[in-house]
Amino acid sequence: MADNKPLHAQLYEEMLRRIHSGAWAEGEQVPSERSLIAEFDTSRAPVRQALAALRADGLIIGGRGTPSRVQRIVPSQSFETFVSFTEWAHQLGRIPGQRVIEAARRAATDLIALELNLAPGEPVVQITRLRTLDGEPAMLERSTFPLHVGVHLLVADLDAESIYQTLSAHHLTPARARHVFDAVAAEPLDVECLGVALGAPLLRVRRCAYDDHGAPVELADDRYVPGMATFAIENAAHHRTTLTRVPAEATGAP
Amino acid sequence: MADNKPLHAQLYEEMLRRIHSGAWAEGEQVPSERSLIAEFDTSRAPVRQALAALRADGLIIGGRGTPSRVQRIVPSQSFETFVSFTEWAHQLGRIPGQRVIEAARRAATDLIALELNLAPGEPVVQITRLRTLDGEPAMLERSTFPLHVGVHLLVADLDAESIYQTLSAHHLTPARARHVFDAVAAEPLDVECLGVALGAPLLRVRRCAYDDHGAPVELADDRYVPGMATFAIENAAHHRTTLTRVPAEATGAP
DNA sequence: AAGTGGTCTAGACCACAAT
DNA sequence: TTGTGGTCTAGACCACTTA
């Protein structure tokens, strides 16, 4: 193991391995802090810091008199999986597909310029794609990119490649995103691509993604066919909230 | 100040006050840990624990050689504010309202029994309420409670009181929740209560809330009028994801 | 009564950024 | 070089749960 990482981070990774390998079984007790201190021959702070990280991940619970227990093994989706439709579908074991409806270069409207931190009228690249799951229409994606980002996409084979992957190859990986959820009625283009009735309800997810330095990378308007995908949030008073995009059938018990 | 809270929690609250009051101005440096140790006449651990909590809330950033700085004053919503419509409206400075459409005791359907971890046919309490913001219809809430929870609600004045508050008074405070988002077409009852057209798109949020011990407390189906409220998620590769229910006008830049 | 996690003290050394 | 936060040690006492 690399020695450059802090001890608590190494302990965290080791504990993660033990949970995923089943050495620390789901529902069973985690060894006591004192025994972990003895095993790793260290002091209490790094052990507690590692355990706190597991706790924040929702992987262990309990305490206060009782030994901590392993809570669940299925983790929340990574940022990458959450942001990228392609990654998400692959993780589910389903086949993502896409068909480019339009890829255009045009001048930014005032609203888009504001969100992307550009001057009104500056050129942007707009790409409209139909996204499918196992061949069935699932979502219509309207994405807008600043020109310096979009140029890489105009020359890419978007019918075969993930936008996320293409951007990553040019060191334009999104590092932060804001998603806003609401419902809209299907417009004519939605009707044509998604095969729903005019005015049918669609789940709209508007996304603005930023790079490492906080510069806007993408502005998107995704419209999901109900029944194909939903979004789930688990949040608790005491630990980190987790986010998942889920196939619509799985409503999910505790 | 109550003395029963741990020191780090008291420090956290005091620091929160200073940030909200402007004593620690946005963008400015937070006093150094050493000076805070001196001021509060304590040791480093509680001070660092309080600062770590602020950091997890996204209220302060920085470090590693540089002093920490106050990041933003509008924090993400607490679990309580996120879960409770009433709390949320109050925090926005808007006036929440509610009208009970129905409050009934009936037998659980198979689906509801499954989600609430009851036997099919066991009694449950179902409450349908219209929620308003500044007098305008905003959301139709269909909640189902296990009988031992719901009995407290059947005798409460739900037109005046928050369900969340009523439950808290009986030590039934939700501690964990799962929210699932999708879009649905307005049904006749939605039309009647919310004043939208039949088939109009509504943002549906299905919620299952659990108490401290993991026992289901509430199963809800909330339908929001587009334009009255949306939900926003900020998620980053490296920080905790934050969740906010926002008035629909504010799309929000970085 | 014994064991657990929660909290706190009082030090120490480190990497890093600004001066 | 100085000050910052990041990490770690080696103790201690507490509240709580379980047996």
Side-chain angles (χ1 to χ4, degrees):
Chain A
M1 179 189 308
D3 204 317
N4 48 3
K5 285 191 180 176
L7 178 56
H8 68 83
Q10 296 179 37
L11 295 181
Y12 171 76
E13 288 171 1
E14 171 61 21
M15 294 175 185
L16 261 190
R17 273 192 292 275
R18 291 185 181 184
I19 290 175
H20 285 131
S21 75
W24 290 358
E26 192 168 353
E28 292 306 303
Q29 295 180 2
V30 168
S32 76
E33 295 179 356
R34 284 161 181 80
S35 69
L36 291 169
I37 291 167
E39 180 190 348
F40 295 114
D41 190 30
T42 177
S43 63
R44 211 176 164 191
V47 167
R48 277 184 64 75
Q49 194 166 348
L51 290 171
L54 294 177
R55 210 169 278 275
D57 291 343
L59 289 168
I60 66 175
I61 56 167
R64 207 160 342 204
T66 334
S68 298
R69 295 191 320 279
V70 177
Q71 167 76 335
R72 62 162 173 203
I73 293 184
V74 180
S76 70
Q77 290 171 7
S78 68
F79 178 77
E80 180 180 15
T81 298
F82 185 76
V83 167
S84 164
F85 184 91
T86 307
E87 293 294 329
W88 170 68
H90 280 146
Q91 187 185 280
L92 284 176
R94 305 187 63 174
I95 302 168
Q98 51 230 289
R99 185 159 57 85
V100 175
I101 306 296
E102 184 203 58
R105 172 180 163 158
R106 55 172 66 97
T109 64
D110 290 4
L111 190 63
I112 285 173
L114 181 69
E115 298 260 26
L116 287 180
N117 203 18
L118 301 172
E122 275 195 75
V124 295
V125 171
Q126 290 193 311
I127 294 177
T128 304
R129 292 193 301 173
L130 171 66
R131 313 301 305 263
T132 58
L133 268 187
D134 293 341
E136 266 188 274
M139 185 257 281
L140 188 63
E141 173 191 82
R142 286 169 243 239
S143 291
T144 305
F145 306 86
L147 185 60
H148 73 96
V149 177
V151 286
H152 303 299
L153 300 172
L154 288 177
V155 300
D157 179 7
L158 292 178
D159 285 322
E161 226 172 322
S162 159
I163 283 187
Y164 189 91
Q165 285 170 355
T166 306
L167 293 183
S168 293
H170 292 87
H171 301 284
L172 286 165
T173 315
R176 189 165 64 81
R178 178 182 170 89
H179 294 80
V180 178
F181 295 81
D182 63 1
V184 296
E187 299 167 1
L189 182 61
D190 301 318
V191 169
E192 183 187 324
C193 297
L194 295 172
V196 297
L198 186 66
L202 299 173
L203 176 63
R204 178 168 69 166
V205 183
R206 281 173 293 178
R207 173 177 61 253
C208 194
Y210 306 87
D211 69 11
D212 280 333
H213 310 296
V217 168
E218 180 195 13
L219 193 62
D221 177 308
D222 295 348
R223 300 180 181 200
Y224 289 84
V225 177
M228 293 302 288
T230 60
F231 289 79
I233 287 166
E234 296 214 29
N235 74 344
H238 303 300
H239 59 250
R240 182 184 302 189
T241 87
T242 66
L243 258 183
T244 42
R245 171 164 38 183
V246 291
E249 309 84 55
T251 309
Chain B
M1 182 188 307
D3 204 318
N4 48 3
K5 285 190 180 175
L7 178 56
H8 68 83
Q10 296 180 36
L11 295 180
Y12 170 76
E13 289 171 2
E14 172 61 21
M15 293 174 185
L16 261 190
R17 273 192 292 276
R18 291 185 181 185
I19 290 174
H20 285 130
S21 75
W24 290 358
E26 192 168 352
E28 292 306 304
Q29 295 181 1
V30 168
S32 77
E33 293 178 358
R34 285 161 180 80
S35 69
L36 291 169
I37 290 168
E39 179 191 347
F40 294 114
D41 190 30
T42 178
S43 62
R44 211 176 164 190
V47 167
R48 278 184 63 76
Q49 194 166 347
L51 290 171
L54 294 177
R55 209 169 279 274
D57 291 343
L59 289 168
I60 66 175
I61 57 167
R64 208 159 346 208
T66 333
S68 299
R69 296 192 319 281
V70 177
Q71 167 75 336
R72 63 170 172 193
I73 292 189
V74 181
S76 72
Q77 290 170 7
S78 68
F79 178 77
E80 181 181 15
T81 300
F82 186 75
V83 167
S84 164
F85 184 91
T86 307
E87 293 293 330
W88 170 66
H90 279 146
Q91 187 185 280
L92 285 176
R94 306 186 62 172
I95 302 169
Q98 52 230 286
R99 185 159 57 84
V100 174
I101 307 295
E102 183 203 59
R105 171 180 166 159
R106 54 172 65 96
T109 64
D110 291 3
L111 190 62
I112 284 172
L114 181 68
E115 298 261 25
L116 287 180
N117 202 19
L118 300 172
E122 274 196 78
V124 295
V125 172
Q126 290 192 312
I127 295 177
T128 304
R129 292 193 300 173
L130 171 67
R131 312 302 304 264
T132 58
L133 269 186
D134 293 341
E136 268 189 273
M139 187 257 280
L140 188 63
E141 172 191 82
R142 287 169 243 240
S143 291
T144 305
F145 306 87
L147 185 59
H148 73 96
V149 177
V151 285
H152 303 300
L153 299 171
L154 288 176
V155 301
D157 179 8
L158 293 177
D159 285 323
E161 226 173 323
S162 158
I163 281 186
Y164 189 91
Q165 285 170 355
T166 306
L167 292 183
S168 293
H170 291 89
H171 302 286
L172 287 165
T173 316
R176 188 165 64 79
R178 177 182 172 90
H179 294 81
V180 177
F181 295 82
D182 62 1
V184 295
E187 297 167 2
L189 182 60
D190 301 319
V191 169
E192 183 187 326
C193 297
L194 295 172
V196 296
L198 186 67
L202 298 173
L203 176 63
R204 177 168 70 167
V205 183
R206 281 173 293 179
R207 173 176 61 253
C208 195
Y210 306 87
D211 70 10
D212 280 333
H213 310 296
V217 168
E218 180 195 13
L219 193 62
D221 177 307
D222 295 347
R223 300 180 181 199
Y224 288 85
V225 177
M228 293 303 287
T230 61
F231 290 78
I233 287 166
E234 295 213 28
N235 81 346
H238 304 300
H239 306 328
R240 175 191 295 196
T241 87
T242 66
L243 257 183
T244 42
R245 172 164 38 184
V246 291
E249 310 84 54
T251 309

